[in-house]
Amino acid sequence: MALKCMVVDDDELARLMIRKYVEKTDFLELTHELSSGIEASNILLQKDNPDVDIIFLDVEMPEMSGIELMESLTSDYQVIMITSAEKYAVRAFEKNATDYLVKPFSYGRFLKAAVKANETLENLRKKAETFHELYVKSDSRIYKIVLDEILFIEAMADYVIFNTVKGKHIVHHTMKGIEKKLPGSLFGRVHRSYIINFDKVEYFEDMNVVIKDKYIPVGVSYREKVFDRLNML
């Protein structure tokens, strides 16, 4: 599955170069091409986080710099910083940037950064598969949630609701961030506002997943992926 990429750069030629590099790379797909940090912020900070894995981000932009945008993000993305000056490298890595590209850069250097981001995401996915529980902060307490007890997770403004066999927990987080921390073998996104535990599905009806009498809609853009996971007779 291709990694979804966003490029944010006020330099049109730089965006064109990155677009061409992404098109050459089988495991990348460009989904967003933006010319300002403010544009990117408006998309990345909306409650229904976009499906983005990697951000190619220019450091020096008017009104909102790449560093300022990184500081505002509430979800974990693989951020590859781009600039014409090396002086920002230390600060970029302090902000946990995945890599740092100095213009002009070759396709080979671009690919090295993309591979690094891909490997980091793959390692996170493998790590998630070994977890059996996670800890969440809710109502000033930290609760342990056993993954097998999660029924489904629902988005609510800037929060997510963990619906479990033992009750509910409201957590200040994003769906994108939660999705990355859950094992893909057990959980999956079926709608912008819902992640389900596939082991808890009772049946499907009229493009809804039913779990414990809760009808959860399956979004149009998720249907193919959802039905591919079913062991249909």
Side-chain angles (χ1 to χ4, degrees), residues 67-122:
I67 297 292
E68 290 170 332
L69 176 60
M70 280 190 72
E71 292 173 339
S72 73
L73 297 180
T74 56
S75 289
D76 295 325
Y77 299 98
Q78 295 301 302
V79 180
I80 297 173
M81 303 300 290
I82 300 168
T83 184
S84 55
E86 295 186 13
K87 62 182 179 180
Y88 299 106
V90 173
R91 192 173 179 194
F93 285 121
E94 285 176 349
K95 301 299 177 183
N96 295 318
T98 304
D99 209 337
Y100 188 89
L101 301 177
V102 180
K103 301 176 185 176
F105 48 87
S106 67
Y107 174 70
R109 183 64 184 88
F110 168 90
L111 182 61
K112 182 178 179 180
V115 167
K116 183 178 180 181
N118 188 27
E119 290 176 345
T120 301
L121 289 169
E122 184 61 29

Side-chain angles (χ1 to χ4, degrees), residues 128 134 147 150 153 162 178-184 187 195:
L134 54 78
L147 297 187
I150 297 173
I153 302 164
F162 282 83
I178 293 295
E179 188 177 14
K180 288 182 177 180
K181 294 183 181 297
L182 295 172
F187 295 89
I195 296 171

Side-chain angles (χ1 to χ4, degrees), residues 7-187:
V7 56
V8 187
D9 198 316
D10 62 332
D11 183 343
E12 185 176 357
L13 291 178
R15 295 198 307 274
L16 175 62
M17 178 180 64
I18 295 170
R19 188 194 318 147
K20 289 183 176 179
Y21 285 174
V22 169
E23 290 171 352
K24 289 182 179 181
T25 311
D26 288 343
F27 64 88
L28 299 181
E29 177 187 351
L30 186 61
T31 57
H32 299 78
E33 185 176 328
L34 306 169
S35 61
S36 78
I38 293 176
E39 277 185 286
S41 175
N42 288 335
I43 292 174
L44 294 169
L45 297 181
Q46 59 185 288
K47 66 176 182 179
D48 296 322
N49 289 70
D51 190 7
V52 174
D53 299 299
I54 302 174
I55 305 173
F56 293 96
L57 181 60
D58 185 24
V59 174
E60 297 177 289
M61 292 184 290
E63 297 187 279
M64 175 179 274
S65 71
I67 297 292
E68 290 170 332
L69 176 60
M70 280 190 72
E71 292 173 339
S72 73
L73 297 180
T74 56
S75 289
D76 295 325
Y77 299 98
Q78 295 301 302
V79 180
I80 297 173
M81 303 300 290
I82 300 168
T83 184
S84 55
E86 295 186 13
K87 62 182 179 180
Y88 299 106
V90 173
R91 192 173 179 194
F93 285 121
E94 285 176 349
K95 301 299 177 183
N96 295 318
T98 304
D99 209 337
Y100 188 89
L101 301 177
V102 180
K103 301 176 185 176
F105 48 87
S106 67
Y107 174 70
R109 183 64 184 88
F110 168 90
L111 182 61
K112 182 178 179 180
V115 167
K116 183 178 180 181
N118 188 27
E119 290 176 345
T120 301
L121 289 169
E122 184 61 29
N123 288 336
L124 289 172
R125 282 190 287 267
K126 289 178 179 178
K127 187 177 180 180
E129 295 293 339
T130 66
F131 289 154
H132 300 288
E133 69 272 328
L134 54 78
Y135 290 82
V136 299
K137 186 175 182 180
S138 178
D139 298 326
S140 300
R141 295 180 178 178
I142 297 176
Y143 294 90
K144 181 175 81 171
I145 298 180
V146 177
L147 297 187
D148 189 54
E149 294 179 350
I150 297 173
L151 301 172
F152 60 92
I153 302 164
E154 181 178 2
M156 182 185 70
D158 295 328
Y159 294 82
V160 297
I161 305 172
F162 282 83
N163 293 269
T164 78
V165 296
K166 294 181 179 178
K168 297 183 178 182
H169 296 286
I170 300 175
V171 180
H172 186 260
H173 216 295
T174 65
M175 293 292 276
K176 183 74 174 178
I178 293 295
E179 188 177 14
K180 288 182 177 180
K181 294 183 181 297
L182 295 172
S185 59
L186 191 62
F187 295 89

